[in-house]
Amino acid sequence: TSGSMPELHAVAPSLAGVGSRLHTNWLAHWIATPPALRAGARMPALARSSGAGQDSQRRTRQAADLAAYLATLSDPPEDQRATDTPTFGSPAASALGKGLFSTIGCSACHTPLGSDTDAEATNPNPSTPLKPPTIGLSSLRSKWKPRALRDFLLRPQRHHPSTRMPDFGLSNEEADQLASYLLAASQPDRLQRLVPGDPLRGRQLVATLGCLNCHRLDLPNQFETKRLAELEGLDWDLWGCVASGDGLGEAPRFTFTPAQRVALLAFGSTDLSSLMQTVPAEFATRQLSERRCTACHGRDGRLANDQPAVAPRRVPDSRGGERLMALPTPPPLTYTGEQLRLRWLEEFLAGRVSSRVRPWLTVRMPRFPQTAVRLAAGLAADHGMAATENPSPLTAGDIDPELRRLGEQLLGPNGGFSCSKCHSVGARKAQMEVGFGVIDLVQSKRRLRDAFYLRWMMNPTRVLPGTRMPAYTDEAGNSPLVKILDGDGVRQFEAIWKSIDARQAVAGSTR
Protein backbone atom coordinates (compact mmCIF):
# COMPACT_ATOMS: atom_id res chain seq x y z
CA THR A 1 0.00 0.00 0.00
CA SER A 2 1.03 3.63 -0.39
CA GLY A 3 2.94 5.07 2.53
CA SER A 4 4.57 1.74 3.43
CA MET A 5 8.19 0.69 3.27
CA PRO A 6 9.22 0.59 -0.42
CA GLU A 7 10.74 -2.86 0.00
CA LEU A 8 7.25 -4.29 0.57
CA HIS A 9 6.54 -3.68 -3.11
CA ALA A 10 9.46 -5.79 -4.32
CA VAL A 11 8.59 -8.82 -6.44
CA ALA A 12 10.26 -12.17 -6.99
CA PRO A 13 11.41 -13.27 -10.45
CA SER A 14 8.67 -14.00 -12.95
CA LEU A 15 8.19 -17.67 -13.74
CA ALA A 16 6.86 -16.94 -17.22
CA GLY A 17 9.24 -18.48 -19.74
CA VAL A 18 11.65 -19.68 -17.06
CA GLY A 19 12.12 -22.97 -18.92
CA SER A 20 13.79 -21.04 -21.73
CA ARG A 21 16.30 -19.55 -19.33
CA LEU A 22 17.30 -22.05 -16.65
CA HIS A 23 18.30 -25.73 -16.75
CA THR A 24 15.74 -28.15 -15.29
CA ASN A 25 18.14 -30.04 -13.01
CA TRP A 26 19.46 -26.80 -11.50
CA LEU A 27 15.88 -25.66 -10.86
CA ALA A 28 15.14 -28.89 -8.99
CA HIS A 29 18.20 -28.50 -6.74
CA TRP A 30 17.48 -24.81 -6.17
CA ILE A 31 13.84 -25.43 -5.22
CA ALA A 32 14.77 -28.22 -2.83
CA THR A 33 17.59 -26.47 -0.91
CA PRO A 34 18.52 -22.96 -2.11
CA PRO A 35 21.27 -22.45 0.52
CA ALA A 36 23.18 -25.37 -0.98
CA LEU A 37 23.63 -23.30 -4.15
CA ARG A 38 23.86 -19.79 -2.75
CA ALA A 39 24.88 -18.60 0.69
CA GLY A 40 22.33 -16.19 2.13
CA ALA A 41 19.65 -17.26 -0.35
CA ARG A 42 16.31 -15.54 0.25
CA MET A 43 14.35 -18.28 -1.46
CA PRO A 44 12.97 -20.67 1.19
CA ALA A 45 13.45 -24.42 1.00
CA LEU A 46 10.45 -26.68 0.58
CA ALA A 47 8.69 -27.84 3.76
CA ARG A 48 10.80 -29.88 6.17
CA SER A 49 14.54 -29.72 5.58
CA SER A 50 15.92 -32.11 8.21
CA GLY A 51 17.29 -34.30 5.44
CA ALA A 52 15.99 -37.45 7.11
CA GLY A 53 13.59 -40.14 5.96
CA GLN A 54 10.33 -39.40 4.23
CA ASP A 55 10.68 -35.63 4.62
CA SER A 56 13.79 -35.58 2.44
CA GLN A 57 12.27 -37.90 -0.15
CA ARG A 58 9.10 -35.83 -0.37
CA ARG A 59 11.07 -32.61 -0.72
CA THR A 60 13.20 -34.06 -3.52
CA ARG A 61 10.15 -35.43 -5.33
CA GLN A 62 8.23 -32.16 -5.08
CA ALA A 63 11.24 -30.19 -6.26
CA ALA A 64 11.62 -32.47 -9.29
CA ASP A 65 7.91 -32.12 -10.10
CA LEU A 66 8.03 -28.34 -9.80
CA ALA A 67 11.14 -28.15 -11.98
CA ALA A 68 9.55 -30.43 -14.59
CA TYR A 69 6.56 -28.10 -14.86
CA LEU A 70 8.64 -24.95 -14.94
CA ALA A 71 10.73 -26.47 -17.74
CA THR A 72 7.58 -26.49 -19.92
CA LEU A 73 7.23 -22.70 -19.61
CA SER A 74 8.93 -21.22 -22.67
CA ASP A 75 9.31 -17.69 -23.96
CA PRO A 76 7.47 -16.84 -27.19
CA PRO A 77 9.44 -17.80 -30.33
CA GLU A 78 10.15 -14.16 -31.17
CA ASP A 79 11.93 -13.78 -27.81
CA GLN A 80 14.14 -16.78 -28.51
CA ARG A 81 15.67 -15.58 -31.75
CA ALA A 82 19.44 -15.57 -31.55
CA THR A 83 20.86 -12.03 -31.50
CA ASP A 84 24.39 -12.91 -30.42
CA THR A 85 27.41 -12.01 -32.50
CA PRO A 86 29.25 -14.63 -34.60
CA THR A 87 31.97 -14.83 -31.93
CA PHE A 88 29.61 -15.73 -29.06
CA GLY A 89 31.22 -18.52 -27.04
CA SER A 90 34.57 -18.30 -28.81
CA PRO A 91 37.94 -18.13 -26.98
CA ALA A 92 38.43 -14.62 -28.35
CA ALA A 93 35.09 -13.45 -26.92
CA SER A 94 35.89 -15.15 -23.60
CA ALA A 95 39.24 -13.34 -23.36
CA LEU A 96 37.57 -9.99 -23.94
CA GLY A 97 34.89 -10.89 -21.40
CA LYS A 98 37.52 -11.63 -18.77
CA GLY A 99 38.84 -8.12 -19.26
CA LEU A 100 35.36 -6.67 -18.85
CA PHE A 101 34.76 -8.67 -15.66
CA SER A 102 37.93 -7.31 -14.08
CA THR A 103 37.35 -3.68 -15.03
CA ILE A 104 33.67 -2.71 -14.93
CA GLY A 105 33.08 -3.68 -11.28
CA CYS A 106 31.69 -7.25 -11.24
CA SER A 107 33.89 -8.22 -8.29
CA ALA A 108 32.08 -5.75 -6.04
CA CYS A 109 29.20 -8.24 -5.71
CA HIS A 110 30.58 -11.55 -7.02
CA THR A 111 33.24 -13.87 -5.70
CA PRO A 112 35.99 -14.67 -8.21
CA LEU A 113 35.36 -17.46 -10.67
CA GLY A 114 36.92 -20.66 -9.43
CA SER A 115 35.55 -20.31 -5.89
CA ASP A 116 33.55 -23.35 -4.87
CA THR A 117 31.15 -21.50 -2.61
CA ASP A 118 29.69 -18.08 -2.17
CA ALA A 119 31.22 -15.76 0.39
CA GLU A 120 29.31 -15.63 3.65
CA ALA A 121 28.59 -12.28 5.28
CA THR A 122 31.25 -11.71 7.91
CA ASN A 123 32.12 -8.73 10.01
CA PRO A 124 35.62 -9.03 11.47
CA ASN A 125 35.78 -5.30 12.16
CA PRO A 126 32.88 -4.00 14.28
CA SER A 127 33.62 -0.43 13.16
CA THR A 128 32.66 -1.23 9.56
CA PRO A 129 29.14 -2.06 8.33
CA LEU A 130 28.20 -5.69 7.74
CA LYS A 131 28.31 -6.48 4.04
CA PRO A 132 25.66 -8.75 2.48
CA PRO A 133 26.95 -12.06 1.12
CA THR A 134 28.59 -11.94 -2.26
CA ILE A 135 27.18 -14.18 -4.96
CA GLY A 136 29.34 -16.95 -6.38
CA LEU A 137 29.48 -17.67 -10.09
CA SER A 138 30.98 -21.16 -10.10
CA SER A 139 27.68 -22.90 -10.96
CA LEU A 140 26.61 -20.62 -13.80
CA ARG A 141 26.99 -23.40 -16.34
CA SER A 142 24.65 -25.60 -14.29
CA LYS A 143 22.08 -22.82 -14.01
CA TRP A 144 21.89 -20.77 -17.20
CA LYS A 145 21.21 -21.65 -20.78
CA PRO A 146 23.91 -19.79 -22.71
CA ARG A 147 21.88 -17.26 -24.68
CA ALA A 148 19.61 -16.66 -21.69
CA LEU A 149 22.64 -15.62 -19.62
CA ARG A 150 23.67 -13.18 -22.35
CA ASP A 151 20.13 -11.74 -22.44
CA PHE A 152 20.10 -11.44 -18.64
CA LEU A 153 23.33 -9.45 -18.69
CA LEU A 154 21.78 -7.12 -21.27
CA ARG A 155 18.49 -6.61 -19.41
CA PRO A 156 18.66 -7.85 -15.81
CA GLN A 157 15.31 -6.34 -14.82
CA ARG A 158 13.33 -7.83 -17.69
CA HIS A 159 12.04 -10.85 -15.75
CA HIS A 160 12.84 -9.54 -12.27
CA PRO A 161 12.22 -5.80 -11.75
CA SER A 162 13.41 -6.02 -8.12
CA THR A 163 16.66 -7.83 -8.83
CA ARG A 164 19.80 -6.72 -7.06
CA MET A 165 21.69 -7.23 -10.31
CA PRO A 166 22.09 -3.76 -11.85
CA ASP A 167 22.09 -2.82 -15.51
CA PHE A 168 25.61 -1.91 -16.67
CA GLY A 169 24.41 -0.68 -20.05
CA LEU A 170 26.30 -3.40 -21.90
CA SER A 171 26.31 -3.44 -25.67
CA ASN A 172 25.34 -6.65 -27.49
CA GLU A 173 29.02 -7.35 -28.10
CA GLU A 174 29.97 -6.79 -24.46
CA ALA A 175 27.15 -9.05 -23.24
CA ASP A 176 28.32 -11.77 -25.64
CA GLN A 177 31.89 -11.42 -24.41
CA LEU A 178 31.02 -11.39 -20.71
CA ALA A 179 28.64 -14.36 -21.02
CA SER A 180 31.26 -16.26 -23.03
CA TYR A 181 33.82 -15.73 -20.27
CA LEU A 182 31.47 -16.59 -17.41
CA LEU A 183 30.35 -19.82 -19.03
CA ALA A 184 33.88 -20.84 -20.03
CA ALA A 185 35.39 -20.08 -16.61
CA SER A 186 32.64 -21.55 -14.42
CA GLN A 187 32.76 -25.14 -13.25
CA PRO A 188 31.29 -27.99 -15.29
CA ASP A 189 27.82 -29.09 -14.24
CA ARG A 190 28.46 -31.37 -11.27
CA LEU A 191 24.97 -31.39 -9.78
CA GLN A 192 23.54 -34.83 -9.15
CA ARG A 193 20.99 -35.79 -11.76
CA LEU A 194 17.62 -36.07 -10.05
CA VAL A 195 14.86 -38.43 -11.15
CA PRO A 196 12.68 -36.55 -13.66
CA GLY A 197 9.53 -35.13 -12.14
CA ASP A 198 5.90 -35.04 -13.24
CA PRO A 199 4.96 -31.67 -14.81
CA LEU A 200 1.25 -32.17 -14.07
CA ARG A 201 1.95 -32.66 -10.37
CA GLY A 202 4.36 -29.73 -10.55
CA ARG A 203 1.67 -27.44 -11.99
CA GLN A 204 -0.60 -28.29 -9.08
CA LEU A 205 2.19 -27.69 -6.58
CA VAL A 206 2.95 -24.25 -8.03
CA ALA A 207 -0.67 -23.30 -7.44
CA THR A 208 -0.94 -24.78 -3.93
CA LEU A 209 2.45 -24.40 -2.20
CA GLY A 210 2.54 -20.60 -2.11
CA CYS A 211 4.92 -20.03 -5.06
CA LEU A 212 2.49 -17.52 -6.57
CA ASN A 213 2.47 -15.39 -3.42
CA CYS A 214 5.84 -14.09 -4.57
CA HIS A 215 6.35 -15.16 -8.19
CA ARG A 216 4.34 -13.97 -11.18
CA LEU A 217 2.67 -16.53 -13.45
CA ASP A 218 -0.64 -16.67 -15.28
CA LEU A 219 -2.06 -19.40 -13.03
CA PRO A 220 -4.72 -19.27 -10.26
CA ASN A 221 -3.18 -19.08 -6.79
CA GLN A 222 -4.80 -21.71 -4.55
CA PHE A 223 -2.60 -21.13 -1.53
CA GLU A 224 -4.01 -19.39 1.52
CA THR A 225 -2.24 -18.31 4.67
CA LYS A 226 -2.75 -15.81 7.44
CA ARG A 227 -2.44 -12.15 6.63
CA LEU A 228 0.37 -10.35 8.43
CA ALA A 229 -2.12 -8.36 10.48
CA GLU A 230 -3.49 -11.65 11.87
CA LEU A 231 -0.06 -12.49 13.28
CA GLU A 232 -0.06 -9.52 15.66
CA GLY A 233 0.11 -10.72 19.23
CA LEU A 234 1.19 -14.27 18.36
CA ASP A 235 4.45 -15.70 19.64
CA TRP A 236 6.51 -16.04 16.47
CA ASP A 237 8.98 -18.22 18.33
CA LEU A 238 6.33 -20.94 18.52
CA TRP A 239 4.59 -20.72 15.13
CA GLY A 240 5.42 -19.96 11.53
CA CYS A 241 8.51 -19.30 9.43
CA VAL A 242 10.56 -17.86 12.30
CA ALA A 243 9.76 -20.64 14.77
CA SER A 244 12.19 -23.35 15.72
CA GLY A 245 11.71 -27.10 15.95
CA ASP A 246 8.19 -28.47 15.57
CA GLY A 247 6.79 -24.93 15.53
CA LEU A 248 7.80 -24.65 11.88
CA GLY A 249 5.21 -27.24 10.84
CA GLU A 250 4.73 -27.02 7.06
CA ALA A 251 6.08 -23.47 6.85
CA PRO A 252 8.80 -22.72 4.28
CA ARG A 253 12.35 -22.98 5.57
CA PHE A 254 14.20 -19.67 5.32
CA THR A 255 17.91 -19.57 6.09
CA PHE A 256 17.78 -16.81 8.67
CA THR A 257 21.01 -16.02 10.48
CA PRO A 258 20.78 -15.93 14.29
CA ALA A 259 20.85 -12.12 14.18
CA GLN A 260 18.07 -12.01 11.57
CA ARG A 261 15.92 -14.37 13.60
CA VAL A 262 16.38 -12.27 16.75
CA ALA A 263 15.41 -9.16 14.78
CA LEU A 264 12.30 -10.83 13.34
CA LEU A 265 11.19 -12.07 16.76
CA ALA A 266 11.63 -8.56 18.16
CA PHE A 267 9.59 -7.15 15.28
CA GLY A 268 6.89 -9.81 15.80
CA SER A 269 6.45 -8.68 19.39
CA THR A 270 5.37 -5.19 18.21
CA ASP A 271 2.15 -3.97 16.62
CA LEU A 272 3.85 -4.26 13.19
CA SER A 273 3.05 -0.63 12.38
CA SER A 274 6.66 0.17 11.52
CA LEU A 275 6.05 -1.42 8.12
CA MET A 276 3.79 1.52 7.32
CA GLN A 277 6.53 4.06 7.92
CA THR A 278 8.56 5.35 5.00
CA VAL A 279 11.65 7.37 5.86
CA PRO A 280 13.55 8.35 2.69
CA ALA A 281 16.94 8.70 4.38
CA GLU A 282 16.62 5.27 6.00
CA PHE A 283 15.58 3.76 2.68
CA ALA A 284 18.70 5.20 1.05
CA THR A 285 20.91 3.76 3.79
CA ARG A 286 19.37 0.32 3.32
CA GLN A 287 19.79 0.56 -0.45
CA LEU A 288 23.46 1.52 -0.19
CA SER A 289 24.00 -1.69 1.75
CA GLU A 290 21.71 -3.83 -0.39
CA ARG A 291 23.29 -2.61 -3.63
CA ARG A 292 26.80 -2.87 -2.15
CA CYS A 293 27.54 0.71 -3.19
CA THR A 294 30.36 0.99 -0.67
CA ALA A 295 32.21 -1.82 -2.42
CA CYS A 296 33.31 0.79 -4.98
CA HIS A 297 32.61 4.09 -3.21
CA GLY A 298 33.94 5.31 0.11
CA ARG A 299 31.58 7.03 2.53
CA ASP A 300 31.90 9.03 5.74
CA GLY A 301 35.66 8.63 5.93
CA ARG A 302 35.67 4.89 5.25
CA LEU A 303 37.39 3.56 2.16
CA ALA A 304 35.46 1.37 -0.25
CA ASN A 305 35.30 -2.25 0.89
CA ASP A 306 36.46 -3.76 -2.40
CA GLN A 307 37.80 -0.69 -4.14
CA PRO A 308 39.43 -2.02 -7.30
CA ALA A 309 43.06 -1.27 -7.88
CA VAL A 310 43.20 1.01 -10.91
CA ALA A 311 46.64 0.98 -12.48
CA PRO A 312 47.88 3.88 -14.60
CA ARG A 313 47.24 3.37 -18.29
CA ARG A 314 48.75 4.80 -21.46
CA VAL A 315 46.73 7.48 -23.23
CA PRO A 316 47.53 9.53 -26.35
CA ASP A 317 49.21 12.89 -25.86
CA SER A 318 48.98 16.03 -27.99
CA ARG A 319 52.23 15.24 -29.81
CA GLY A 320 51.07 11.92 -31.23
CA GLY A 321 52.81 9.86 -28.57
CA GLU A 322 51.61 8.32 -25.32
CA ARG A 323 51.77 9.19 -21.67
CA LEU A 324 50.85 7.45 -18.41
CA MET A 325 47.62 8.64 -16.81
CA ALA A 326 46.84 7.74 -13.19
CA LEU A 327 43.20 6.81 -12.89
CA PRO A 328 41.47 7.69 -9.62
CA THR A 329 38.90 5.48 -8.00
CA PRO A 330 35.13 6.22 -7.92
CA PRO A 331 34.12 9.28 -5.86
CA PRO A 332 33.02 9.00 -2.22
CA LEU A 333 29.31 9.17 -1.38
CA THR A 334 29.70 11.25 1.77
CA TYR A 335 28.13 14.44 0.42
CA THR A 336 26.09 13.05 -2.49
CA GLY A 337 22.72 14.27 -1.19
CA GLU A 338 23.81 17.87 -0.70
CA GLN A 339 26.28 17.86 -3.57
CA LEU A 340 24.16 16.86 -6.56
CA ARG A 341 21.03 18.42 -7.98
CA LEU A 342 18.08 16.18 -7.21
CA ARG A 343 16.70 15.87 -10.73
CA TRP A 344 20.14 15.25 -12.20
CA LEU A 345 20.81 12.57 -9.56
CA GLU A 346 17.52 10.85 -10.40
CA GLU A 347 18.40 10.80 -14.09
CA PHE A 348 21.94 9.62 -13.37
CA LEU A 349 20.88 6.74 -11.12
CA ALA A 350 18.30 5.66 -13.69
CA GLY A 351 20.96 5.60 -16.41
CA ARG A 352 19.45 8.40 -18.46
CA VAL A 353 22.49 10.73 -18.45
CA SER A 354 24.18 9.95 -21.73
CA SER A 355 27.57 11.62 -21.21
CA ARG A 356 29.94 10.05 -18.69
CA VAL A 357 31.06 12.38 -15.91
CA ARG A 358 34.35 10.52 -15.37
CA PRO A 359 35.13 8.80 -18.69
CA TRP A 360 38.64 7.94 -17.51
CA LEU A 361 37.28 5.40 -15.00
CA THR A 362 37.16 1.81 -16.23
CA VAL A 363 34.79 0.89 -13.40
CA ARG A 364 31.31 1.41 -14.78
CA MET A 365 28.46 3.05 -12.88
CA PRO A 366 25.44 0.73 -13.12
CA ARG A 367 21.83 1.80 -13.60
CA PHE A 368 19.09 1.49 -10.98
CA PRO A 369 15.91 2.54 -12.82
CA GLN A 370 13.47 0.92 -10.37
CA THR A 371 14.73 2.79 -7.30
CA ALA A 372 16.33 5.92 -8.81
CA VAL A 373 13.69 8.44 -7.69
CA ARG A 374 13.40 7.10 -4.13
CA LEU A 375 17.14 6.64 -3.74
CA ALA A 376 17.90 10.17 -4.93
CA ALA A 377 15.28 11.62 -2.56
CA GLY A 378 16.68 9.56 0.32
CA LEU A 379 20.24 10.67 -0.28
CA ALA A 380 19.06 14.28 -0.36
CA ALA A 381 17.00 13.84 2.81
CA ASP A 382 20.02 12.36 4.56
CA HIS A 383 21.56 15.85 4.30
CA GLY A 384 18.37 17.73 5.14
CA MET A 385 17.72 18.70 1.52
CA ALA A 386 14.14 19.10 0.34
CA ALA A 387 12.57 16.83 -2.26
CA THR A 388 12.02 19.88 -4.49
CA GLU A 389 14.56 22.34 -5.84
CA ASN A 390 13.96 26.07 -6.11
CA PRO A 391 16.08 28.23 -8.42
CA SER A 392 18.90 29.92 -6.54
CA PRO A 393 20.32 33.39 -7.22
CA LEU A 394 23.22 31.73 -9.03
CA THR A 395 20.86 30.03 -11.46
CA ALA A 396 17.80 32.24 -11.82
CA GLY A 397 17.52 35.25 -14.10
CA ASP A 398 19.29 36.43 -17.23
CA ILE A 399 23.07 36.35 -17.53
CA ASP A 400 24.58 39.79 -17.05
CA PRO A 401 27.03 40.42 -19.95
CA GLU A 402 29.62 42.07 -17.70
CA LEU A 403 29.43 39.30 -15.13
CA ARG A 404 29.81 36.79 -17.92
CA ARG A 405 32.89 38.61 -19.22
CA LEU A 406 34.48 38.64 -15.78
CA GLY A 407 33.69 34.95 -15.31
CA GLU A 408 35.36 34.16 -18.63
CA GLN A 409 38.42 36.12 -17.55
CA LEU A 410 38.56 34.30 -14.22
CA LEU A 411 38.40 30.92 -15.96
CA GLY A 412 41.42 31.73 -18.12
CA PRO A 413 45.14 32.18 -17.47
CA ASN A 414 45.33 35.92 -18.26
CA GLY A 415 44.47 37.57 -14.99
CA GLY A 416 42.31 34.65 -13.86
CA PHE A 417 42.55 31.43 -11.88
CA SER A 418 43.66 29.38 -14.93
CA CYS A 419 40.79 26.91 -14.48
CA SER A 420 40.80 26.25 -18.22
CA LYS A 421 44.34 24.88 -18.09
CA CYS A 422 43.15 21.68 -16.37
CA HIS A 423 39.39 21.73 -16.99
CA SER A 424 37.54 21.56 -20.27
CA VAL A 425 34.55 23.91 -20.47
CA GLY A 426 32.11 22.34 -22.88
CA ALA A 427 33.51 22.43 -26.42
CA ARG A 428 36.60 24.35 -25.23
CA LYS A 429 39.11 21.69 -24.25
CA ALA A 430 41.63 22.01 -21.44
CA GLN A 431 44.85 23.76 -22.41
CA MET A 432 47.18 21.21 -20.86
CA GLU A 433 47.27 17.48 -20.26
CA VAL A 434 47.35 16.30 -16.67
CA GLY A 435 48.04 12.86 -15.25
CA PHE A 436 44.66 12.53 -13.57
CA GLY A 437 41.01 12.85 -14.51
CA VAL A 438 39.44 16.33 -14.48
CA ILE A 439 35.69 16.92 -14.81
CA ASP A 440 34.34 19.21 -17.54
CA LEU A 441 33.01 22.38 -15.86
CA VAL A 442 29.82 22.34 -17.94
CA GLN A 443 29.21 18.88 -16.46
CA SER A 444 29.86 20.34 -13.01
CA LYS A 445 27.30 23.08 -13.56
CA ARG A 446 24.66 20.56 -14.58
CA ARG A 447 25.37 18.34 -11.58
CA LEU A 448 26.28 20.46 -8.57
CA ARG A 449 23.98 22.36 -6.28
CA ASP A 450 25.01 26.01 -6.15
CA ALA A 451 25.58 26.04 -2.39
CA PHE A 452 27.84 23.00 -2.57
CA TYR A 453 29.79 24.53 -5.46
CA LEU A 454 30.56 27.62 -3.38
CA ARG A 455 31.51 25.55 -0.34
CA TRP A 456 33.83 23.46 -2.50
CA MET A 457 35.47 26.46 -4.12
CA MET A 458 36.12 28.21 -0.82
CA ASN A 459 38.02 25.24 0.65
CA PRO A 460 38.22 22.05 -1.46
CA THR A 461 40.34 20.04 1.00
CA ARG A 462 37.76 20.55 3.75
CA VAL A 463 35.27 18.68 1.57
CA LEU A 464 37.65 16.11 0.08
CA PRO A 465 40.96 15.74 1.94
CA GLY A 466 43.80 14.98 -0.43
CA THR A 467 42.13 16.52 -3.48
CA ARG A 468 44.38 18.04 -6.15
CA MET A 469 42.04 21.01 -6.43
CA PRO A 470 43.76 24.05 -4.88
CA ALA A 471 42.10 26.69 -2.72
CA TYR A 472 41.96 30.18 -4.25
CA THR A 473 40.84 32.18 -1.24
CA ASP A 474 42.09 32.76 2.26
CA GLU A 475 40.08 31.97 5.39
CA ALA A 476 38.27 35.30 5.09
CA GLY A 477 37.15 34.48 1.53
CA ASN A 478 39.50 36.93 -0.20
CA SER A 479 41.23 35.95 -3.42
CA PRO A 480 44.59 37.30 -4.69
CA LEU A 481 42.85 38.73 -7.80
CA VAL A 482 42.01 42.01 -6.08
CA LYS A 483 41.30 43.90 -9.34
CA ILE A 484 38.26 41.75 -10.16
CA LEU A 485 35.14 42.28 -8.03
CA ASP A 486 37.31 43.71 -5.25
CA GLY A 487 38.95 40.34 -4.63
CA ASP A 488 35.69 38.97 -3.18
CA GLY A 489 36.03 35.21 -3.64
CA VAL A 490 32.32 34.46 -3.40
CA ARG A 491 31.43 37.03 -6.07
CA GLN A 492 34.25 35.81 -8.31
CA PHE A 493 33.10 32.21 -8.03
CA GLU A 494 29.54 33.32 -8.75
CA ALA A 495 30.79 35.05 -11.91
CA ILE A 496 32.51 31.86 -13.02
CA TRP A 497 29.30 29.90 -12.42
CA LYS A 498 27.30 32.43 -14.42
CA SER A 499 29.74 32.29 -17.34
CA ILE A 500 29.41 28.52 -17.41
CA ASP A 501 25.63 29.02 -17.56
CA ALA A 502 26.13 30.84 -20.84
CA ARG A 503 28.30 28.06 -22.27
CA GLN A 504 25.81 25.48 -21.08
CA ALA A 505 22.98 27.28 -22.85
CA VAL A 506 24.99 27.18 -26.07
CA ALA A 507 25.80 23.48 -25.57
CA GLY A 508 22.10 22.59 -25.32
CA SER A 509 20.70 20.32 -22.57
CA THR A 510 20.96 21.49 -18.98
CA ARG A 511 19.93 18.13 -17.57
Side-chain angles (χ1 to χ4, degrees), residues 137-323:
L137 301 172
S138 59
S139 61
L140 279 181
R141 212 182 303 181
S142 306
K143 175 181 179 180
W144 285 97
K145 296 184 177 181
R147 288 186 174 86
L149 175 59
R150 184 275 321 277
D151 292 342
F152 173 71
L153 295 173
L154 274 175
R155 295 178 291 175
Q157 289 95 12
R158 182 185 178 196
H159 299 289
H160 188 191
S162 302
T163 181
R164 288 178 286 175
M165 172 70 179
D167 183 348
F168 279 93
L170 299 174
S171 66
N172 285 334
E173 291 76 13
E174 288 175 327
D176 282 355
Q177 294 161 5
L178 191 53
S180 297
Y181 164 66
L182 293 173
L183 292 170
S186 60
Q187 297 176 356
D189 186 356
R190 297 173 181 170
L191 293 177
Q192 176 188 354
R193 294 292 163 182
L194 301 180
V195 176
D198 183 334
L200 292 179
R201 286 200 305 262
R203 186 180 191 277
Q204 183 64 20
L205 288 170
V206 166
T208 57
L209 283 182
C211 307
L212 302 181
N213 280 15
C214 297
H215 296 277
R216 293 172 293 155
L217 188 63
D218 188 15
L219 196 68
N221 186 3
Q222 302 174 32
F223 179 82
E224 293 185 5
T225 188
K226 292 180 180 291
R227 296 175 59 84
L228 187 62
E230 298 178 70
L231 304 184
E232 183 181 346
L234 297 179
D235 188 343
W236 289 16
D237 193 26
L238 302 177
W239 181 91
C241 300
V242 191
S244 57
D246 293 337
L248 273 168
E250 295 299 312
R253 264 52 177 177
F254 290 92
T255 53
F256 298 128
T257 64
Q260 288 172 336
R261 188 170 178 273
V262 168
L264 283 166
L265 291 174
F267 169 69
S269 67
T270 70
D271 62 3
L272 314 185
S273 62
S274 60
L275 290 178
M276 301 308 295
Q277 299 174 9
T278 175
V279 182
E282 293 180 1
F283 172 74
T285 298
R286 294 193 299 270
Q287 283 293 298
L288 293 181
S289 173
E290 176 79 359
R291 306 287 182 179
R292 297 183 64 86
C293 300
T294 54
C296 292
H297 299 270
R299 193 180 190 217
D300 296 338
R302 296 190 181 100
L303 294 176
N305 297 326
D306 302 308
Q307 199 164 67
V310 184
R313 64 185 172 107
R314 293 189 175 276
V315 297
D317 62 23
S318 59
R319 296 178 295 277
E322 290 185 332
R323 62 187 175 84

Side-chain angles (χ1 to χ4, degrees), residues 4-24:
S4 57
M5 289 180 65
E7 290 90 339
L8 295 180
H9 305 283
V11 295
S14 171
L15 298 180
V18 67
S20 298
R21 303 191 293 275
L22 306 181
H23 289 298
T24 307

